[in-house]
Amino acid sequence: DTGVSQDPRHKITKRGQNVTFRCDPISEHNRLYWYRQTLGQGPEFLTYFQNEAQLEKSRLLSDRFSAERPKGSFSTLEIQRTEQGDSAMYLCASSSSGVGNTEAFFGQGTRLTVV
Amino acid sequence: GIQVEQSPPDLILQEGANSTLRCNFSDSVNNLQWFHQNPWGQLINLFYIPSGTKQNGRLSATTVATERYSLLYISSSQTTDSGVYFCAVEPTGANSKLTFGKGITLSVRP
């Protein structure tokens, strides 16, 4: 397994456009997380899935954001009507839910620039 | 929610020096991880250490869960150690999400 994979690595979009990012987790991991990181800050939690169920959403996740994990494998994060404030690094992570080890592993991130 | 404070915020070292990075957290935790963020933004796992001490080469980490802090030690620093170091915790009884500190920016000069 090559680890958590995210696509695209970079995305530049015009304000008002919709964008979609993809995350492929480590295959044996049943948990998948999305985080957002802005310049000079640590990553902030957005949402997480256990298998295909979305179990928690942060208040940071406005109505313009939606995430899916339809078959419990890969996930997509869509941002509708992008705003300049959405410019950030979007990070995906995965982990198992096994007792005693929930170590999370992160992908390389998708850097979004809204112009 | 849980608070995570890292110190110092910035650190400048000469190559070969040793350093200690600190992470304080405000509540009990199930999970604590240290990451190094490379210049391209990827978070590289250093340690998964909810308690105890671990070592990996020139790096070691200790978490004293009862006193709610963790330390990351870097010995004989190299220029490639430069970057941002994050501590992240998962509170006990929470739902597995990590809360990150603001990070420590380390610069190792040749």
Side-chain angles (χ1 to χ4, degrees):
Chain A
D1 191 17
T2 56
V4 180
S5 177
Q6 292 188 244
D7 183 72
R9 296 287 307 281
H10 303 272
K11 179 70 176 178
I12 300 175
T13 191
K14 292 184 178 179
R15 191 175 49 168
Q17 298 294 304
N18 300 343
V19 294
T20 300
F21 311 141
R22 177 181 170 122
C23 172
D24 288 88
I26 293 171
S27 56
E28 59 266 31
H29 286 174
N30 60 346
R31 287 182 174 170
L32 185 148
Y33 314 81
W34 287 98
Y35 290 80
R36 181 171 68 187
Q37 186 179 21
T38 54
L39 202 60
Q41 302 296 317
E44 293 176 294
F45 170 79
L46 292 178
T47 188
Y48 102 96
F49 294 83
Q50 181 153 317
N51 302 312
E52 64 274 11
Q54 189 174 17
L55 296 187
E56 186 175 349
K57 293 193 289 187
S58 163
R59 283 174 287 182
L60 292 175
L61 213 65
S62 77
D63 291 345
R64 297 183 296 105
F65 288 69
S66 62
E68 294 182 344
R69 193 182 183 198
K71 296 182 180 178
S73 56
F74 73 92
S75 175
T76 58
L77 177 68
E78 181 183 16
I79 309 174
Q80 296 183 325
R81 305 181 303 281
T82 52
E83 301 173 356
Q84 286 189 323
D86 297 331
S87 295
M89 174 77 93
Y90 290 83
L91 294 162
C92 176
S94 70
S95 74
S96 72
S97 57
V99 173
N101 191 339
T102 57
E103 185 175 4
F105 294 85
F106 282 77
Q108 295 158 308
T110 294
R111 191 174 296 279
L112 173 67
T113 303
V114 181
V115 297
Chain B
I2 195 167
Q3 304 299 309
V4 181
E5 294 184 1
Q6 293 187 245
S7 60
D10 301 282
L11 192 54
I12 299 174
L13 299 175
Q14 280 301 124
E15 199 168 26
N18 302 329
S19 62
T20 301
L21 285 60
R22 187 175 181 103
C23 173
N24 291 335
F25 44 97
S26 61
D27 209 341
S28 59
V29 299
N30 285 334
N31 175 8
L32 187 146
Q33 293 185 239
W34 282 98
F35 296 93
H36 177 208
Q37 191 162 41
N38 68 21
W40 298 272
Q42 181 158 17
L43 290 166
I44 307 298
N45 288 43
L46 298 178
F47 293 101
Y48 171 79
I49 187 165
S51 63
T53 297
K54 291 186 177 179
Q55 179 153 10
N56 184 3
R58 297 181 296 104
L59 272 59
S60 63
T62 295
T63 297
V64 183
T66 52
E67 297 187 21
R68 298 182 183 166
Y69 72 88
S70 184
L71 302 174
L72 177 68
Y73 305 96
I74 304 175
S75 64
S76 304
S77 58
Q78 301 176 358
T79 56
T80 51
D81 295 331
S82 296
V84 183
Y85 289 80
F86 286 103
C87 167
V89 302
E90 172 196 335
T92 301
N95 40 22
S96 80
K97 67 186 181 193
L98 292 173
T99 299
F100 283 75
K102 291 190 173 182
I104 296 170
T105 302
L106 174 64
S107 299
V108 181
R109 305 233 168 119

